[in-house]
Amino acid sequence: MLDDIDKRLLAVLQKNAHLTAQELSELLNLSPSQAGRRRQRLEAEGYIVNYAARLDPKRLGLSVQAFVQVQLGTHGPDQARGFARLIGLRPEIISAWTLTGDADYLLRVYCTDLTALNALIHDILLPHPAVSRVQSQIVMDQFKQDAPLPT
């Protein structure tokens, strides 16, 4: 069970994972050893899954972000596994969800340009034997960046 200090620790680490035990101790009013032990415990218990750097997609030449909805024509386990394998192999698909409603999957993609997005949709996704429909929405602007999880 998380106490208030654990929740505050998780909140500050989501904003800056580079904080040292000393810096955490100052923010949380703990000793550096207590702050370090709490971080280690939260890592060991699976609250902290990993640490990663956020990259600027535009600096990497990824100028098109889109959400792609995919509807399968058949819903057997083999078709779902085959489609999931395809999604796992594509680096431009950065996240994927299964959904309720009209679409079976929602994909978040980053591409270099519209030509690359078009190729992903028409040359990769639509030819898959389980796929019956693909619909895309191109992101015009992201006015709120991916935020930390509420703690």
Side-chain angles (χ1 to χ4, degrees):
M1 190 71 181
L2 297 176
D3 63 20
D4 288 341
I5 295 172
D6 290 335
K7 290 177 183 178
R8 287 181 25 229
L9 175 65
L10 292 172
V12 297
L13 286 176
Q14 283 189 95
K15 293 176 184 167
N16 183 356
H18 285 294
L19 293 172
T20 65
Q22 178 63 44
E23 292 166 325
L24 287 171
S25 73
E26 293 168 8
L27 290 169
L28 302 172
N29 296 319
L30 299 172
S31 72
S33 62
Q34 288 174 315
R37 281 194 303 272
R38 278 183 181 259
R39 179 194 289 210
Q40 289 174 340
R41 180 179 53 79
L42 293 170
E43 291 169 349
E45 292 177 358
Y47 289 98
I48 299 171
V49 179
N50 71 348
Y51 296 96
R54 286 192 181 185
L55 306 179
D56 184 336
K58 288 185 174 70
R59 299 273 310 197
L60 295 170
L62 301 169
S63 61
V64 175
Q65 178 183 187
F67 290 92
V68 179
Q69 295 178 10
V70 178
Q71 186 175 27
L72 300 185
T74 56
H75 292 85
D78 291 338
Q79 292 85 0
R81 277 193 297 275
F83 186 72
R85 271 193 302 277
L86 172 68
I87 298 308
L89 295 172
R90 304 303 308 186
E92 64 269 66
I93 300 172
I94 66 160
S95 53
W97 300 268
T98 57
L99 304 173
T100 61
D102 292 335
D104 295 303
Y105 296 93
L106 177 64
L107 313 176
R108 184 177 180 189
V109 304
Y110 277 95
C111 294
T112 54
D113 53 28
L114 291 175
T115 302
L117 177 60
N118 186 56
L120 174 66
I121 291 169
H122 292 281
D123 299 340
I124 305 297
L125 297 176
L126 281 170
H128 190 279
V131 172
S132 68
R133 185 176 66 86
V134 173
Q135 182 178 358
S136 63
Q137 295 85 34
I138 297 170
V139 174
M140 301 298 290
D141 185 29
Q142 185 174 352
F143 63 91
K144 180 179 180 180
Q145 297 304 311
D146 296 340
L149 293 174
T151 55

